[in-house]
Amino acid sequence: MLFHSFIYLLSIVLFWMKAENKHSKIISAATKVFAKKGFFTARISDIAKEAKVADGTIYLYFNNKYDILLSVFEEEVGKIVENTENLLIAEADPHKQLEIFVTQHLMAMKKNRHLAEVIQIELRQTHKVIKEYRDNKFSKYTGIIAEIIKNGQLAGIFRLDIKPDLAKRAFFGALDEISRVWNSSLETNYSVEEITAQMLSIFLTGIQTTPSTFPEQVFFLPSQP
Amino acid sequence: MLFHSFIYLLSIVLFWMKAENKHSKIISAATKVFAKKGFFTARISDIAKEAKVADGTIYLYFNNKYDILLSVFEEEVGKIVENTENLLIAEADPHKQLEIFVTQHLMAMKKNRHLAEVIQIELRQTHKVIKEYRDNKFSKYTGIIAEIIKNGQLAGIFRLDIKPDLAKRAFFGALDEISRVWNSSLETNYSVEEITAQMLSIFLTGIQTTPSTFPEQVFFLPSQP
DNA sequence: ATTACATGAATGAATGACCATTCATGCTTT
DNA sequence: AAAGCATGAATGGTCATTCATTCATGTAAT
């Protein structure tokens, strides 16, 4: 009886592993193919071939082509978000938190170099329904940056005239664009450490040698019309 | 005789204007449609309808769908590049040059809010042949930023440890991401001046209150909620 | 001035290629 | 033997592109 239960459970686990295997095999094949050909020019048969699976099999695990893209995005980005959030909780210093964010992002992109491109594709594809969904998911990610900045402002470490809303976009955009070219370009590759250092250097202290001399520096902005 | 020549030339000019009108009508219709639906989901018939022209007419002015996208990109971005370069020549101060770059970019995007999205789409499309072409065209644009930074470094205004290659991507990426959301979001819209001020503020002096203290000075904060 | 003819721009219905999705069939596992 | 996973050829719908035809304008002839 006990034995039977065991076998039963085992079979469930095996079944699950197998299914999960095929599921994730398709996910990673799709990531690869989407990154290489772009969502629209990627054919289902390409993904199937890459995953060593029949075309029809894909439809046992996903509803349609778009669902695959969505899953790639959700699962892979979800991992990053979760990962990053966990690391951030353990760290109180906003400086360090920014550093962690950058490092995490870059490492994730390096680990899965196709992912950066898929994020780009997904992020830019405009499909109302999905956009809303994605926006929630994604603004959570960029929202992390805004939170860090706000905390830094409360702590008096970051300047109060910086608008977290804008700064988070600037920060994410910078990181995203760097990742994009990082993968695909044949130029000298910078290391994660180098990029992190530069990013923090730029965003924390700016590129000027003498910060106080720039006359246009504005600490209090006029309210908008 | 003279009169005939005149009439002849006039007719050529009129013909050219007419053709040019249709050409640019299609271009701007395409910009609109591509921005709204994305390149792949945009149908030629959509563009035709938007331009108030028959489907077939489009093929009198463009070779194929991709050619339209390419033309949109080339013509519109070309204008910006040229415009910006002209303004920069007249200004020697790297600070001001950066300001001009930001302002120009934002104003261009504001003027033609669909363009920002098309650039996004185009920039992320992976199609070998076009990618190379686009890269040349586009790296010219980002190259401007790198040049400004290098000049600033030579002049001792910008820090020497900043890598222009990375900084230009960070700068462009930030600007690009801000433009992207700026257009499509329903959030409070910032003005060109505000965004410019923030961008310069961030990139020139950083977001820190006390630039020189990182990483020595560490603040201990209560952990976030 | 009017009519006839020529040109080529514009049209949009028809074509055909492409590919996501389905499903009848075979295969494996229990 | 039953259940259900996997297969990949067949289906059907969607456009990009084409091209026979129309239409407008300009030119020549009477």
Side-chain angles (χ1 to χ4, degrees):
Chain A
M1 187 56 200
L2 188 66
F3 184 69
H4 268 135
S5 302
F6 176 73
I7 290 295
Y8 177 68
L9 284 175
L10 184 66
S11 69
I12 285 181
V13 169
L14 284 177
F15 165 80
W16 180 81
M17 279 179 64
K18 192 175 168 185
E20 195 57 21
N21 261 340
K22 204 148 279 190
H23 178 96
S24 58
K25 255 171 93 175
I26 295 172
I27 286 276
S28 73
T31 310
K32 215 164 179 174
V33 175
F34 285 154
K36 189 172 172 188
K37 311 189 78 171
F39 175 71
F40 290 101
T41 31
R43 273 166 293 154
I44 290 290
S45 57
D46 293 333
I47 298 173
K49 196 193 279 177
E50 179 73 37
K52 284 172 189 167
V53 145
D55 293 18
T57 306
I58 288 179
Y59 289 87
L60 297 174
Y61 295 90
F62 300 92
N63 296 324
N64 52 47
K65 194 183 175 186
Y66 206 91
D67 188 34
I68 304 174
L69 179 60
L70 216 58
S71 301
V72 167
F73 193 75
E74 182 174 10
E75 295 185 21
E76 300 293 330
V77 174
K79 279 182 209 160
I80 301 177
V81 172
E82 204 182 331
N83 214 337
T84 306
E85 277 179 338
N86 285 337
L87 285 172
L88 288 180
I89 287 172
E91 177 60 58
D93 177 16
H95 286 141
K96 289 274 169 61
Q97 288 186 323
L98 276 186
E99 186 178 349
I100 289 171
F101 190 94
V102 175
T103 309
Q104 279 310 107
H105 187 90
L106 292 176
M107 288 200 331
M109 295 306 148
K110 191 179 189 180
K111 191 170 160 194
N112 189 350
R113 48 176 45 223
H114 299 305
L115 185 59
E117 292 198 54
V118 173
I119 288 177
Q120 300 274 349
I121 297 166
E122 225 295 317
L123 199 57
R124 268 78 191 183
Q125 234 65 52
T126 338
H127 243 312
K128 321 127 222 164
V129 198
I130 287 87
K131 200 175 182 181
E132 282 163 28
Y133 167 83
R134 175 255 289 163
D135 274 356
N136 293 335
K137 188 93 190 174
F138 212 77
S139 61
K140 198 178 174 187
Y141 191 54
T142 55
I144 294 175
I145 305 173
E147 280 310 310
I148 295 177
I149 294 175
K150 279 177 199 161
N151 283 339
Q153 288 179 325
L154 284 177
I157 299 176
F158 296 155
R159 287 161 44 204
L160 289 172
D161 61 310
I162 295 293
K163 310 208 169 179
D165 263 2
L166 281 177
K168 79 172 177 193
R169 299 201 198 297
F171 198 80
F172 173 74
L175 206 46
D176 189 48
E177 174 69 12
I178 286 175
S179 314
R180 186 178 72 80
V181 188
W182 190 27
N183 281 331
S184 62
S185 94
L186 303 171
E187 302 168 44
T188 323
N189 270 356
Y190 294 97
S191 68
V192 171
E193 291 77 21
E194 273 176 304
I195 299 178
T196 306
Q198 287 273 314
M199 274 290 291
L200 292 180
S201 183
I202 291 172
F203 274 86
L204 291 179
T205 65
I207 66 175
Q208 271 186 143
T209 44
T210 49
S212 53
T213 55
F214 186 50
E216 261 71 24
Q217 187 172 8
V218 179
F219 283 95
F220 294 99
L221 293 169
S223 56
Q224 60 192 102
Chain B
M1 186 57 201
L2 188 64
F3 183 70
H4 268 137
S5 303
F6 176 73
I7 291 296
Y8 176 68
L9 283 175
L10 185 65
S11 70
I12 284 181
V13 168
L14 285 177
F15 165 80
W16 180 82
M17 280 179 64
K18 193 175 168 185
E20 194 58 21
N21 261 340
K22 205 146 279 191
H23 179 97
S24 58
K25 254 171 96 177
I26 295 171
I27 287 277
S28 73
T31 309
K32 217 163 177 174
V33 175
F34 285 155
K36 189 170 171 190
K37 312 189 77 172
F39 175 70
F40 289 102
T41 33
R43 274 166 293 151
I44 289 290
S45 56
D46 293 334
I47 298 173
K49 196 192 281 177
E50 179 73 37
K52 285 170 187 168
V53 144
D55 294 17
T57 307
I58 288 179
Y59 289 88
L60 298 173
Y61 296 89
F62 301 92
N63 297 325
N64 51 48
K65 195 182 175 188
Y66 208 93
D67 189 33
I68 305 174
L69 180 60
L70 216 59
S71 301
V72 167
F73 194 74
E74 180 174 11
E75 296 185 22
E76 301 292 332
V77 174
K79 280 182 209 161
I80 301 177
V81 172
E82 205 183 330
N83 214 338
T84 306
E85 278 179 338
N86 285 337
L87 284 173
L88 288 180
I89 287 172
E91 177 60 60
D93 178 15
H95 286 142
K96 289 273 170 58
Q97 288 187 322
L98 275 187
E99 186 178 347
I100 289 172
F101 190 94
V102 176
T103 310
Q104 280 309 107
H105 187 89
L106 291 177
M107 288 201 329
M109 295 306 149
K110 190 179 189 180
K111 191 171 160 192
N112 189 350
R113 47 178 45 225
H114 300 306
L115 185 59
E117 293 198 54
V118 174
I119 288 177
Q120 301 275 349
I121 297 165
E122 226 295 318
L123 199 57
R124 269 79 191 182
Q125 234 63 51
T126 344
H127 241 312
K128 322 127 223 167
V129 197
I130 287 88
K131 202 174 182 180
E132 283 162 28
Y133 167 83
R134 171 255 290 163
D135 274 355
N136 294 335
K137 188 94 189 173
F138 213 77
S139 61
K140 199 178 173 188
Y141 191 55
T142 56
I144 294 176
I145 305 172
E147 281 309 310
I148 296 176
I149 293 174
K150 279 178 200 160
N151 284 339
Q153 288 179 326
L154 283 177
I157 300 175
F158 295 155
R159 287 161 46 204
L160 291 172
D161 60 314
I162 295 293
K163 310 207 169 179
D165 263 2
L166 281 177
K168 80 173 177 193
R169 298 200 198 298
F171 197 81
F172 174 74
L175 205 46
D176 189 48
E177 174 68 12
I178 286 174
S179 313
R180 186 178 72 81
V181 188
W182 190 28
N183 280 330
S184 61
S185 94
L186 302 172
E187 300 169 45
T188 323
N189 269 356
Y190 294 97
S191 69
V192 171
E193 291 76 24
E194 274 175 304
I195 298 178
T196 305
Q198 287 274 314
M199 274 290 291
L200 293 180
S201 184
I202 292 172
F203 274 86
L204 291 179
T205 65
I207 65 176
Q208 272 186 141
T209 45
T210 49
S212 55
T213 54
F214 184 67
E216 281 77 22
Q217 185 175 0
V218 176
F219 292 80
F220 291 100
L221 299 169
S223 56
Q224 61 192 93

